[in-house]
Amino acid sequence: MTIHLEASVEPIVEGEQEIAAMLKELNPPALIMSIVHMSGDASVLTRWPSPKIIDVVEASSQSVELLEGGYTKEQGESICEYALEVIRDYRANDCKLPQLNDEVMDQLLDFMCGHHLDDEYRAFIREEIALDGIDQRGLRFDSEAGRQRATQFPVVIIGAGMGGVLAAIRLRQAGVPFIVIEKNSAVGGTWFENHYPGCRVDVPGHSYSYSFEPNHDWECYYPLAEDIRAYFDSCADRYGVKSHIRFNSEVVQASFDDNSQRWQVQVKNSDGQLETLEACAVISAVGQLNRPKLPDIPGRDSFAGPLFHSAAWPDGVSLEGKRVAVIGSGASAFQIIPELAKTAASLKLFQRSPVWMFPNPVYHDKVSTAQRWALKKLPYYSKWYRFWLFYVSIEGVYDKTLVDENWHSENSVSQSNDDMRKLLSAWIESQLSDPALLEKVLPDYPPFGKRILQDNGTYLAALQRDNVELLTEGIERIDARGLVTTDGSLHEVDVIVCATGFHADRFLFPMRVTGRQGIELSDQWGENNGRAFLGMTVPNFPNLFCIYGPNTNLVVAGSIAHNAESQVNYILRCIKLLLENNYAAMDCRQAVHDQYNQRVDEINAGTAWGSPAVSNWYKNDQGRVTANLPFRIIDYWRMTKEPNPEDYHFN
Ligand code: NAP
């Protein structure tokens, strides 16, 4: 049985002049695609060249400003003129869409990507954008036996963030009973917890959403945390899973019972009482960045004023007129600093390492009226726009992260990585006039060694304000008055904000998880060396599935929403495999797991983030990259499309 997506194109009621003005603001590649959908005429694709991904290095060397897709202004005008004609005819024809056959669909894909795609790549993209309206990632059982068994297969999902809500939606569609245990009082996970000033996602919102539930109403291109939280909350409502979520409750322990082949999941409920739930499978969707890490600085507890972590921002606190210290200069601090700098009496940023930042002029911009209009009203525009955002983030970037063994440099790992370094350095230099500040903020490690942040200039502008000071001396201790640096200076402050990251290498921490024959996950993994097959399944822990588990974090390869969908797709199909064959449990084979992890480690070791010279939250204290997926996204999509029964023992 297939799941059909709702087609939701609103009528175009605007006058031609208004439409003509709006067309100019649209994404040309997506507009060309919409033209073909409205007209049914693929010959129009010969009028313009295929869009090109203009990488930042290339764009900076162009003498003329190019539109998205690398089109010139003249080409852009010709696309808009033609689009207006097509819209006129489309409306005259009662907005009836011609049926496009597979051949035309393939032409569209080839045009958009600028080359002839192989069958696998086509299947990958077709699934992602679902032009045919079929949601291939959902699951419904074909057989009555499967449907029946599904009703007797209770699942516990841990966490109601992006991954947990997605798993819940998919299980509900499949008719599998489930309960979601959420430690917070609301849906949203990281987007509920992180509400520090300036918190927003640094991936475009139109691709940071479920493929089957596009949001045409994002206020900003890079939405604020509250808008993302609200999006996941509305998905939980819309797909009927909210009532299955138990809030303010926390899983403290999960044990696999060899006799019943079921999990016993111990939950601490909102009233503090412990309760044991029985489940046939457990899906952990706890995220990688949900346990804040306070810095281990002597005297931390002796500070007289408020000291808190960026992810535990106290409600209603105002730092206006206060003397504030921020420890850390990663992704969170990068967003916090420009906001606090506006009103703090003084702001001292204690930086241990600087960050690379990527020029992005629209980073804080609101989505234009024209763009919203097109997303809602131009047939298939939203799908192709999403695809374009996805495509530019997966093509051409991955190679820049790979180490060239013949390249010998401390601050880059290959020629293309070095080109990137030069461009990013020039971007930083262009914003500063003080050589001493430049020296402090210019990273000396390769781009992609740590997460590259989206930047529209607000961060470095904040650092140059009179009330802001960047300190690079180490912090020796904290006392009641403030922070003492290694040069002996005391920095008196009223408030200390620790933007110091998370216990990212402690997967599933602090839950106690026990598998077959009483094996403890913390013994099998060690304190901080999580490993899983495909990031999802772990030998000796049957029917335990992780979403965003070990080695699934993306650095350059598209959106984590896509990755979560690949994982949930795989988990659903594992459950189908169990139910259709009337098995109780599946346990990943050790050799399969080990081989996979060997590959993961080998590839990660050959990347900028795996380089021994670089420190980051992707690695554990032994230097092994435990967070990141080292593959191209299409490779991971292929690996997670369908479970191979030979990879598992079944009971
Ligand atoms: P982070 O990237 O781990 O940054 C932590 C910062 O604190 C680093 O500058 C680190 O320095 C510093 N630090 C840690 N311990 C310290 C200590 N004891 N003394 C002094 N400095 C210390 O954490 P984050 O900024 O919260 O970001 C984590 C991840 O969350 C990001 O990479 C991203 O994936 C995600 N995130 C995303 C967004 C977004 O989408 N916009 C926003 C926030 C976070 P070193 O670098 O020297 O270790």
Side-chain angles (χ1 to χ4, degrees):
M1 268 167 78
T2 46
I3 298 178
H4 289 272
L5 297 165
E6 278 176 40
S8 56
V9 184
E10 293 178 14
I12 302 174
V13 293
E14 293 73 13
E16 283 208 5
Q17 255 188 336
E18 197 182 340
I19 295 173
M22 290 195 286
L23 291 175
K24 290 186 189 146
E25 293 184 44
L26 303 186
N27 172 276
L31 183 55
I32 296 175
M33 295 294 101
S34 184
I35 289 173
V36 177
H37 282 284
M38 284 185 277
S39 65
D41 178 12
S43 70
V44 71
L45 297 176
T46 55
R47 286 180 169 240
W48 308 286
S50 273
K52 275 206 300 198
I53 299 174
I54 302 295
D55 107 351
V56 278
V57 180
E58 204 180 333
S60 67
S61 64
Q62 299 287 328
S63 54
V64 288
E65 198 188 323
L66 297 176
L67 306 175
E68 272 177 286
Y71 293 106
T72 61
K73 202 163 156 271
E74 291 70 36
Q75 286 169 328
E77 278 164 11
S78 128
I79 295 166
C80 291
E81 273 167 32
Y82 194 80
L84 194 60
E85 276 178 41
V86 168
I87 291 170
R88 194 177 295 135
D89 293 347
Y90 168 67
R91 290 211 283 190
N93 196 21
D94 292 333
C95 298
K96 282 201 201 95
L97 283 176
Q99 198 72 30
L100 303 188
N101 62 28
D102 276 359
E103 200 183 321
V104 174
M105 291 291 197
D106 287 346
Q107 277 176 276
L108 294 183
L109 285 170
D110 289 355
F111 178 84
M112 220 29 188
C113 299
H115 60 98
H116 183 71
L117 300 177
D118 64 29
D119 289 347
E120 183 182 59
Y121 209 107
R122 280 211 176 109
F124 165 62
I125 297 171
R126 278 180 167 231
E127 182 190 298
E128 167 63 19
I129 53 179
L131 288 172
D132 53 8
I134 293 174
D135 182 358
Q136 292 184 44
R137 294 176 186 155
L139 176 76
R140 285 195 177 136
F141 290 94
D142 297 325
S143 71
E144 191 49 38
R147 263 196 296 281
Q148 277 306 320
R149 285 189 200 122
T151 62
Q152 307 304 314
F153 195 86
V155 176
V156 169
I157 299 170
I158 313 173
M162 172 192 272
V165 169
L166 173 64
I169 291 171
R170 291 314 200 181
L171 288 180
R172 186 163 187 270
Q173 284 173 337
V176 177
F178 63 90
I179 181 168
V180 185
I181 305 297
E182 168 54 58
K183 70 176 168 21
N184 295 322
S185 59
V187 163
T190 196
W191 300 110
F192 171 80
E193 289 172 9
N194 285 273
H195 49 265
Y196 56 75
C199 185
R200 65 172 71 227
V201 66
D202 58 10
V203 172
H206 295 100
S207 66
Y208 196 88
S209 48
Y210 301 136
S211 60
F212 54 87
E213 185 59 28
N215 181 9
H216 303 326
D217 285 313
W218 289 122
E219 189 182 353
C220 298
Y221 286 106
Y222 293 81
L224 292 162
E226 171 51 22
D227 292 344
I228 306 169
R229 188 207 59 73
Y231 167 78
F232 289 121
D233 189 62
S234 73
C235 289
D237 278 332
R238 189 166 150 75
Y239 288 85
V241 302
K242 183 73 94 40
S243 57
H244 298 249
I245 306 175
R246 198 183 286 183
F247 293 106
N248 298 309
S249 302
E250 200 164 342
V251 171
V252 285
Q253 187 173 339
S255 319
F256 185 73
D257 177 357
D258 289 295
N259 293 325
S260 66
Q261 304 282 312
R262 289 186 163 214
W263 283 90
Q264 306 294 320
V265 183
Q266 199 176 57
V267 179
K268 189 170 170 198
N269 283 323
S270 54
D271 57 6
Q273 298 293 312
L274 290 178
E275 179 188 349
T276 300
L277 306 173
E278 194 173 73
C280 290
V282 173
I283 300 178
S284 164
V286 297
Q288 289 193 6
L289 301 164
N290 80 332
R291 297 288 168 179
K293 188 156 125 190
L294 284 169
D296 220 357
I297 300 172
R300 195 187 73 204
D301 296 336
S302 64
F303 182 59
L307 177 152
F308 50 85
H309 191 274
S310 53
W313 202 273
D315 282 332
V317 68
S318 165
L319 303 191
E320 195 177 331
K322 299 271 184 349
R323 297 169 303 166
V324 184
V326 174
I327 306 176
S329 54
S332 300
F334 194 79
Q335 297 181 327
I336 291 170
I337 296 291
E339 290 304 310
L340 294 192
K342 290 178 193 164
T343 60
S346 67
L347 179 59
K348 296 194 178 205
L349 169 58
F350 293 83
Q351 171 194 285
R352 198 161 66 177
S353 325
V355 280
W356 284 114
M357 54 198 90
F358 188 90
N360 183 346
V362 302
Y363 184 36
H364 288 178
D365 285 6
K366 296 204 165 165
V367 179
S368 68
T369 309
Q371 190 71 263
R372 285 190 204 210
W373 170 82
L375 290 165
K376 289 179 183 172
K377 302 196 174 185
L378 286 188
Y380 293 91
Y381 178 89
S382 70
K383 285 186 179 285
W384 287 107
Y385 180 58
R386 180 183 166 100
F387 168 67
W388 179 251
L389 295 174
F390 180 66
Y391 188 65
V392 297
S393 73
I394 61 175
E395 287 302 311
V397 195
Y398 182 79
D399 291 346
K400 295 186 175 69
T401 71
L402 300 178
V403 174
D404 173 354
E405 284 174 5
N406 298 315
W407 186 264
H408 303 291
S409 162
E410 294 268 295
N411 53 18
S412 59
V413 297
S414 67
Q415 179 65 62
S416 62
N417 185 267
D418 199 54
D419 292 343
M420 184 87 178
R421 186 187 63 77
K422 286 186 186 128
L423 174 99
L424 299 182
S425 301
W427 168 240
I428 291 174
E429 282 159 17
S430 73
Q431 299 180 63
L432 300 173
S433 51
D434 174 3
L437 183 58
L438 177 62
E439 202 185 325
K440 286 181 181 176
V441 298
L442 203 57
D444 59 1
Y445 58 85
F448 302 108
K450 294 178 194 275
R451 188 174 175 83
I452 300 183
L453 306 176
Q454 301 295 316
D455 180 43
N456 60 354
T458 49
Y459 177 74
L460 292 177
L463 294 192
Q464 293 172 84
R465 290 174 65 119
D466 291 342
N467 62 334
V468 179
E469 190 182 353
L470 175 66
L471 295 132
T472 50
E473 292 78 19
I475 306 166
E476 196 176 85
R477 62 177 196 280
I478 294 176
D479 69 20
R481 298 159 299 168
L483 304 94
V484 178
T485 41
T486 47
D487 59 0
S489 309
L490 167 68
H491 302 272
E492 286 193 55
V493 290
D494 303 316
V495 180
I496 300 178
V497 176
C498 300
T500 41
F502 300 84
H503 290 283
D505 57 359
R506 300 186 73 181
F507 293 92
L508 276 55
F509 167 82
M511 292 182 292
R512 182 172 174 206
V513 183
T514 312
R516 283 196 302 123
Q517 293 161 4
I519 296 170
E520 297 278 340
L521 191 59
S522 55
D523 289 342
Q524 184 161 315
W525 276 355
E527 190 179 305
N528 59 4
N529 201 11
R531 292 173 184 273
F533 175 53
L534 302 171
M536 286 185 274
T537 57
V538 186
N540 300 320
F541 295 82
N543 295 8
L544 170 68
F545 301 100
C546 300
I547 298 171
Y548 201 23
N551 293 109
T552 55
N553 181 56
L554 297 178
V555 183
V556 290
S559 150
I560 201 79
H562 179 277
N563 236 29
E565 289 195 21
S566 290
Q567 288 161 13
V568 172
N569 172 79
Y570 183 87
I571 294 167
L572 280 180
R573 277 146 190 84
C574 284
I575 292 175
K576 185 178 180 196
L577 194 60
L578 287 167
L579 296 176
E580 285 193 341
N581 294 287
N582 208 8
Y583 296 131
M586 59 196 289
D587 186 2
C588 181
R589 289 179 187 273
Q590 189 70 49
V592 170
H593 165 275
D594 292 352
Q595 244 173 34
Y596 174 82
N597 274 278
Q598 194 181 341
R599 251 177 88 207
V600 164
D601 288 351
E602 276 166 12
I603 305 176
N604 265 330
T607 60
W609 58 79
S611 151
V614 175
S615 77
N616 51 43
W617 66 261
Y618 308 143
K619 293 179 186 172
N620 62 13
D621 58 8
Q622 296 122 59
R624 180 181 164 256
V625 176
T626 51
N628 292 353
L629 184 79
F631 307 116
R632 283 171 207 275
I633 197 99
I634 185 169
D635 297 328
Y636 191 62
W637 170 81
R638 183 191 319 109
M639 294 175 202
T640 55
K641 188 116 186 70
E642 201 69 58
N644 178 358
E646 288 174 15
D647 293 339
Y648 291 89
H649 298 287
F650 290 91
N651 277 319

